[in-house]
Amino acid sequence: AETIGIPHYVLDYESRFKEQVMDRFADSYIAGETPIPCVSCNQTVKFTDLLKTAKDLGADALATGHYVRSEQKGNKRALYRPADLDRDQSYFLFATTQEQLDFVRFPLGGMPKAKVRELAAEFGLSVAAKPDSQDICFVPDGDYAAVIRKLRPNAAEPGEIVHMDGRVLGRHDGIIHYTIGQRRGINCPAPEPYYVVRLDHARNRLIVGKRAELAGDEATVEAINWIHRPERFPARVTAQIRYRHKAAPAVVEETAPAEARLRFENPQDAITPGQGAVFFDQDEVLGGGWIV
């Protein structure tokens, strides 16, 4: 900003971020879900608070560094996966509204990361070689449980580890330490490793089973935001159920406004409450919601 002579403002959203992102993250984890705080951050701090400030300042647009593309499609804007699929952040933006898309621009979406670094060096930006961020910004070391213990000191209550057939296999030190699909850290020796199949928050139990028992082909999805709502239901889509999941062929059937049943053609591992289910038509983001 200094180099090209434009005003630069620093805005303090710390309390808003804690309330809307960190506290929600902790409460969701305690409830046995596996939340995605980046979506909450985009929904609240970035595309609500920051967008409002941009408009108040008289800006024509809000540009962000997300790797995603947005283009005009008819009388609306549509959201697409980026050119650099290794950096694809479209999964985190399923809650973006049409009003937000009209105002937000994603200038990096058509470029590979190497080109972005090249341009940053050409423009003399000191961050041109900055290492990529690897985790949630407020959990830089990946220790989610430590953050939750700090925000909610009574969250890590010990409880039982229970096999899917009802047998008690051992004790856990708090279900906040586990996510569905996890294999490491389950202290129950067996010839074949156990995986976390379900988190029973009501009884503070960790439900485990073999790898094959992780697979499922259906999910209930709520609080759906449609960027481009299909004209007819059931609708054929590809659906992505976590950030690094490869979107798989599925059918979405509306069961109520903003609610749907998602059915995959083939079983998928670790369909997890709290994660987003994002619906695509090839590279276009149709919308998405929360797996319950």
Side-chain angles (χ1 to χ4, degrees), residues 29 41 58 89 110 120 131 147 243 256:
Y29 240 105
C41 183
Q89 292 177 300
V147 172
Y243 176 46

Side-chain angles (χ1 to χ4, degrees), residues 104-257:
V104 179
R105 297 294 178 266
F106 306 102
L108 306 189
M111 291 185 279
K113 184 65 175 274
K115 180 65 175 176
V116 175
R117 290 192 182 282
E118 182 184 312
L119 287 171
E122 185 181 316
F123 296 139
L125 301 183
S126 62
V127 292
K130 180 184 175 183
D132 291 343
S133 55
Q134 297 293 332
D135 223 312
I136 295 169
C137 64
F138 60 90
V139 196
D141 57 0
D143 190 351
Y144 305 139
V147 172
I148 295 162
R149 281 197 304 270
K150 187 174 180 180
L151 292 169
R152 302 288 185 271
N154 298 322
E157 291 292 328
E160 293 177 332
I161 301 174
V162 181
H163 193 278
M164 286 193 70
D165 63 15
R167 288 179 291 138
V168 176
L169 301 176
R171 301 277 295 172
H172 65 75
D173 54 359
I175 58 175
I176 63 168
H177 296 282
Y178 302 91
T179 59
I180 292 175
Q182 183 173 327
R183 179 174 69 86
R184 296 183 183 278
I186 303 170
N187 190 23
C188 297
E192 194 180 337
Y194 287 119
Y195 291 79
V196 177
V197 177
R198 196 169 74 252
L199 302 173
D200 183 349
H201 169 67
R203 293 187 286 182
N204 193 27
R205 285 177 153 189
L206 191 67
I207 312 300
V208 301
K210 302 304 181 186
R211 167 106 196 223
E213 291 166 315
L214 273 177
D217 60 7
E218 289 196 3
T220 299
V221 184
E222 293 184 353
I224 294 173
N225 174 66
W226 289 112
I227 298 171
H228 186 110
R229 187 177 181 274
E231 292 179 5
R232 289 182 295 275
F233 291 92
R236 291 197 167 275
V237 299
T238 56
Q240 186 175 342
I241 54 171
R242 56 186 166 275
Y243 176 46
R244 290 299 184 186
H245 174 250
K246 182 176 172 56
V251 171
V252 178
E253 185 160 12
E254 268 194 326
T255 53

Side-chain angles (χ1 to χ4, degrees), residues 264-281:
F264 285 99
E265 286 185 8
N266 298 300
Q268 306 295 308
D269 278 351
I271 300 176
T272 305
Q275 292 282 290
V278 184
F279 314 129
F280 293 85
D281 177 6

